[in-house]
Amino acid sequence: MWDEILHRSWWRLEQTYHFNASQNLLDLLKKAYSEPQRAYHTLQHLSECLLNFEQVQSSLDDPFAVELALWFHDAVYDPQASDSETCSSQLFRDSLKSDLAPELLVKISQWIIATKQHHSQ
């Protein structure tokens, strides 16, 4: 089930943004969310976020940007560090700087950093 949600979401984003290296980026993100130090911030967590997103996307002003932010919000995760969101934001910008408009990069980067305020145990 989780893989189906991830696939459906990535397909939507690919159709919207036409990433230059879509499969490479997807592989990078899947690998990141599968790292062994992750107890909670896993592919299952990402899938749950995306499933919740699908339930509210029609009420959002920029649903594709929100969806893309969700993919990157925990892409970098070090349980010993306090800057994982900043690093995730940097990974997002580095990965998509040639695919997205600068203003969209800034907006989504800010959203990724804002996820520092959520904490799940």
Side-chain angles (χ1 to χ4, degrees), residues 40-104:
Y40 174 74
H41 298 95
T42 63
L43 285 170
Q44 180 178 341
H45 167 68
L46 175 59
S47 298
E48 290 167 350
C49 290
L50 293 168
L51 187 59
N52 288 331
F53 159 80
E54 287 179 348
Q55 295 172 13
V56 300
Q57 68 181 331
S58 63
S59 65
L60 301 172
D61 290 334
D62 196 349
F64 297 114
V66 171
E67 189 170 21
L68 188 53
L70 287 172
W71 273 90
F72 279 88
H73 85 281
D74 287 322
V76 176
Y77 180 71
D78 178 351
Q80 304 302 317
S82 62
D83 66 344
S84 291
E85 293 81 7
T86 301
C87 293
S88 292
S89 175
Q90 186 64 52
L91 176 66
F92 164 74
R93 288 191 310 273
D94 290 346
S95 299
L96 292 170
K97 63 185 170 196
S98 65
D99 293 325
L100 302 177
E103 59 275 5
L104 187 57

Side-chain angles (χ1 to χ4, degrees), residues 1 25 34 39 54 65 82 110 113:
M1 175 178 152
L25 184 55
S34 299
E54 287 179 348
S82 62
Q110 291 171 341
I113 292 169

